[in-house]
Amino acid sequence: MSAESTLAAPPVRLTQRPGFWAGIAVVALGITLAAGVALMRGRSEPLPQLGAMPEFTFTRHDGQPFGSAQLRGRPFVANFIFTRCPTICPAFTRKMVGVQERTASLGAGLQLVSFSVDPKYDTPERLAEYGQRHGADFTRWSFLTGDYEQLKDTIVHGFKISMGREAGAPEDDLLSIFHGTHFVLVDRDGQIRGYYDSADSDSTERLIRDVERLNSEGH
C-alpha cells in the first residue's frame, strides 16, 4: 500500500439529526486533508490509493450472492441508501442515475453498487422495486442487503463511511438512521481511489473524470 493509503476518508455528510451526531465532526478535522490533496494533484499524477477494501459478500436485489468476487477485475462506484428514507436517499439515488447515464459507454466495465443501511427492511424484493422505480440498469447496478452487522462493518471499516442508528430508537423511527452521502470509487484491484460529495456538483464531476481516468489507465 502506498504512503497515500494512510490518508483517511473525507468527512461524511449525515442524513439525519446532524446535531445529535455532531461528535463525528471531530473526525472531519483530520480527514479533509485527503480531499485537499486530491484537488492539488495534477492530472499527470495517479489517483491516490486510500485503502484496500476487505472481502465482502451480500445478497443482491435478485436474491443472488454478490460481492468482492463478482466485482474483482472491474472498478465500481458505491453509495449508501435505504428504500424508505424520507430525506436524502432519493436525491442520492438520482445522482447515481446520473453517474449511470454519464458512464453508459463503459457498460458493465464499470459497476455501480448501492449498499442498504436498513437491511432488515430492505429485502431483495424491495431493493429490486426501488431500482426499477429509479431506472437502474441491473446489468451494471446492484443493490445489496444482508446481515446488519456485516454491512456496518464493511461500510464503516471498509469504505470508511458513517452508518448507524440512534441508540434505543424504535424500528419505525426513520430519522434515527444515519449514513454518509459520499460516492466511493474503487478500482479493479479493490483499492479506494476517491470520495465524492454527492451534494457538490463539482465533486460529482470529478467522480466522472476519475472514472474515465481509471478506465483509460486500465485500473
Side-chain angles (χ1 to χ4, degrees):
M1 186 178 298
S2 70
E4 292 163 325
S5 65
T6 61
L7 294 173
V12 297
R13 196 167 60 81
L14 303 181
T15 64
Q16 321 289 349
R17 297 181 182 172
F20 183 88
W21 301 105
I24 298 177
V26 175
V27 180
L29 295 177
I31 59 184
T32 51
L33 177 60
V37 169
L39 288 174
M40 292 188 292
R41 287 182 173 277
R43 287 182 60 84
S44 61
E45 294 188 41
L47 296 176
Q49 295 187 17
L50 301 173
M53 281 297 302
E55 295 290 316
F56 62 87
T57 301
F58 297 112
T59 302
R60 211 168 81 124
H61 58 267
D62 58 3
Q64 297 301 308
F66 189 90
S68 305
Q70 290 73 29
L71 291 164
R72 191 167 293 117
R74 293 185 290 183
F76 69 96
V77 176
N79 77 340
F80 313 91
I81 53 92
F82 60 108
T83 63
R84 55 180 178 165
C85 172
T87 55
I88 299 300
C89 298
F92 200 6
T93 300
R94 287 194 295 272
K95 291 294 182 69
M96 185 69 106
V97 171
V99 174
Q100 175 180 261
E101 293 171 349
R102 296 279 302 277
T103 61
S105 63
L106 301 179
L110 175 72
Q111 294 290 296
L112 311 176
V113 186
S114 293
F115 292 79
S116 172
V117 300
D118 184 23
K120 185 175 180 180
Y121 180 85
D122 284 340
T123 61
E125 294 78 14
R126 286 190 170 115
L127 289 173
E129 190 279 331
Y130 183 84
Q132 289 174 344
R133 178 156 33 97
H134 286 89
D137 175 1
F138 290 140
T139 65
R140 55 193 302 247
W141 188 349
S142 299
F143 293 79
L144 304 186
T145 188
D147 177 78
Y148 180 86
E149 292 300 329
Q150 290 180 0
L151 274 160
K152 185 175 181 179
D153 185 66
T154 297
I155 292 170
V156 174
H157 298 112
F159 287 104
K160 305 296 191 295
I161 291 289
S162 176
M163 167 191 165
R165 180 188 284 272
E166 194 172 316
E171 179 65 25
D172 60 354
D173 183 0
L174 304 183
L175 294 180
S176 70
I177 301 172
F178 68 93
H179 60 92
T181 56
H182 280 70
F183 290 112
V184 184
L185 176 60
V186 182
D187 69 19
R188 66 189 60 202
D189 298 319
Q191 284 283 340
I192 296 173
R193 306 304 291 270
Y195 293 85
Y196 311 84
D197 184 355
S198 65
D200 181 348
S201 59
D202 290 338
S203 185
T204 53
E205 283 297 317
R206 182 167 57 87
L207 168 60
I208 300 301
R209 292 195 300 270
D210 288 352
V211 164
E212 293 170 346
R213 285 188 64 188
L214 286 185
N215 181 64
S216 64
E217 295 169 1
H219 295 297

